[in-house]
Amino acid sequence: MERISADVAIIGAGPAGMFAVFECGMLKMSCVLIDALDELGGQCVALYPEKPIYDIPAHPGIEGGALIAKLEEQIAPFNCAKLLGRQVTGLSGAAGDFTLTTSAGDEVKAKAVILAAGAGAFGPNRPPLDGLEAYEASGAVRYYVKKREDLRGKRVVIAGGGDSAVDWALALQGIAASIAVVHRRPKFRAAPESTAQLDALAAESKVEMVIPYQLHALHGAGGALEAVEVADLDGATKHLPADVLLPFFGLAMELGPINDWGLGLEKSHVAVTPYNMQTSLPGVFAVGDICTYPGKLKLILQGFAEGAMAAHAIYPIVNPDTALHFEYSTTKGVPG
Ligand SMILES: Cc1cc2nc3c(=O)[nH]c(=O)nc-3n(C[C@H](O)[C@H](O)[C@H](O)COP(=O)(O)OP(=O)(O)OC[C@H]3O[C@@H](n4cnc5c(N)ncnc54)[C@H](O)[C@@H]3O)c2cc1C
């Protein structure tokens, strides 16, 4: 249970929240970074630590985990306080004097708040299959792949038609003993380039496309999976031999307490003024995946820029008597 005061409280330690620490730090504002997860990095670390991201400027390709390690290095000079493994449950007060409370009983005082909560406390959409819990507990059904190597030599069934399903079918090539992709319709909702790669692998019989089918049942004993039963649209079933099932049916967004903070949510997103990231509550700003405005793209690079805009907008709240003179980082440098 901590009692902490900082200029800015940042809720969410994904890439957007982490880079906001840097931008605030460059303007000499102290931060406290709070996250429900036990580690920094948000989706990049929790969902795709080993997958390369190709659209981070000046990084032609960088894995999710490596990007977060670099961000951690970049914010290290600012000695930001970190409260991990606790959810922010309460927000009260007004610009210049906010109080945040957490599930661990912490009390955080801050002059401004940056909400960088992504999709909130996220969790996977689970398939409605009998006996699922036993297979989840044994790791035979999993919604995240932390290390590709864990699946070496396994017969893997992937279910879903989005980016995660397609990307993991590609990423497990040469690692899994066999890969079958179950989808209920021929069209995938994934990047066209990735879908084309998947089609090419299917043509070479390196991936079995099980279409149009849906998950029907799991077969095995004691949590050890032996086969995934799938059914077509007429109810005809077949068994796919499997050690591991990876269902990728998207993430359930659970904003939880954030729903009650009077932010005027639009479909689980917080509307902001696009030039300064201000929400409808003065002194509360939102960046990254959680914010919305016309033209918003849910991209890490956009979350980075939003952190810079929010920090500059927050400066007068923290320093009401000092004018902010814009300076480049090359001029200012970073703390030693
Ligand atoms: C498989 C996959 C591939 C992707 N590939 C790319 C890509 O190539 N390029 C790209 O730009 N983007 C990509 N993305 C999207 C990118 O990961 C997100 O845009 C980015 O993570 C959003 O960052 P964020 O900091 O806004 O939120 P998140 O990364 O979602 O982090 C939000 C954090 O807030 C925490 N949180 C939420 N509510 C609370 C609370 N009440 N209290 C405490 N903590 C809370 C959560 O625990 C979480 O850690 C990909 C996403 C996925 C799933």
Side-chain angles (χ1 to χ4, degrees):
M1 213 167 89
E2 307 269 358
R3 297 265 176 280
I4 292 186
S5 288
D7 292 328
V8 186
I10 301 178
I11 304 172
M18 290 178 76
F19 195 66
V21 171
F22 178 84
E23 289 293 332
C24 289
M26 290 300 279
L27 300 182
K28 296 194 165 45
M29 298 187 291
S30 63
C31 294
V32 52
L33 192 54
I34 313 163
D35 204 294
L37 299 174
D38 288 330
E39 49 191 345
L40 300 178
Q43 294 176 45
C44 299
V45 161
L47 300 186
Y48 58 104
E50 292 188 346
K51 281 174 71 172
I53 308 170
Y54 298 106
D55 53 358
I56 302 298
H59 287 282
I62 183 165
E63 291 181 354
L67 174 70
I68 296 306
K70 283 278 171 205
L71 280 170
E72 213 170 337
E73 189 185 323
Q74 195 168 21
I75 65 175
F78 302 103
N79 291 320
C80 152
K82 297 177 192 80
L83 296 178
L84 299 178
R86 55 262 275 176
Q87 191 182 24
V88 178
T89 46
L91 172 68
S92 58
D97 183 20
F98 285 107
T99 301
L100 293 81
T101 49
T102 77
S103 51
D106 312 300
E107 191 180 271
V108 175
K109 296 273 186 196
K111 293 174 184 155
V113 174
I114 296 181
L115 188 56
F122 51 81
N125 287 321
R126 302 160 71 234
L129 298 173
D130 286 344
L132 181 68
E133 292 77 10
Y135 295 103
E136 289 174 339
S138 70
V141 173
R142 49 181 96 174
Y143 306 96
Y144 314 118
V145 182
K146 287 239 165 184
K147 279 196 272 154
R148 266 176 288 200
E149 276 305 314
D150 294 346
L151 299 180
R152 183 165 290 282
K154 307 265 190 218
R155 298 167 301 170
V156 177
V157 172
I158 295 172
D163 281 308
S164 295
V166 174
D167 289 353
W168 280 110
L170 301 180
L172 291 173
Q173 280 302 309
I175 291 178
S178 65
I179 301 170
V181 176
V182 181
H183 187 33
R184 64 191 158 152
R185 58 175 80 97
K187 194 159 171 45
F188 282 79
R189 287 169 287 101
E193 207 170 289
S194 309
T195 309
Q197 285 180 46
L198 183 64
D199 289 341
L201 290 170
E204 293 172 41
S205 302
K206 291 182 173 166
V207 171
E208 183 189 355
M209 304 294 267
V210 187
I211 297 169
Y213 278 90
Q214 335 199 34
L215 299 180
H216 187 67
L218 301 174
H219 296 282
L225 190 61
E226 284 162 19
V228 174
E229 188 177 346
V230 292
D232 70 11
L233 303 179
D234 299 322
T237 62
K238 64 176 178 178
H239 286 63
L240 306 173
D243 302 304
V244 174
L245 169 66
L246 304 176
F248 292 123
F249 297 133
L251 296 172
M253 287 189 177
E254 298 228 342
L255 285 182
I258 297 172
N259 281 308
D260 306 325
W261 295 349
L263 288 161
L265 297 176
E266 292 175 11
K267 293 187 186 152
S268 299
H269 294 91
V270 176
V272 295
T273 313
Y275 58 81
N276 62 4
M277 304 296 121
Q278 171 69 62
T279 69
S280 59
L281 287 183
V284 179
F285 298 75
V287 301
D289 277 12
I290 195 164
C291 76
T292 186
Y293 51 85
K296 165 71 183 173
L297 297 174
K298 285 191 182 180
L299 286 176
I300 294 167
L301 68 89
Q302 205 159 12
F304 288 165
E306 290 158 3
M309 287 190 282
H312 281 78
I314 287 171
Y315 187 87
I317 299 175
V318 173
N319 305 281
D321 303 322
T322 317
L324 172 60
H325 298 290
F326 180 86
E327 274 184 317
Y328 292 122
S329 68
T330 39
T331 312
K332 281 190 282 198
V334 290

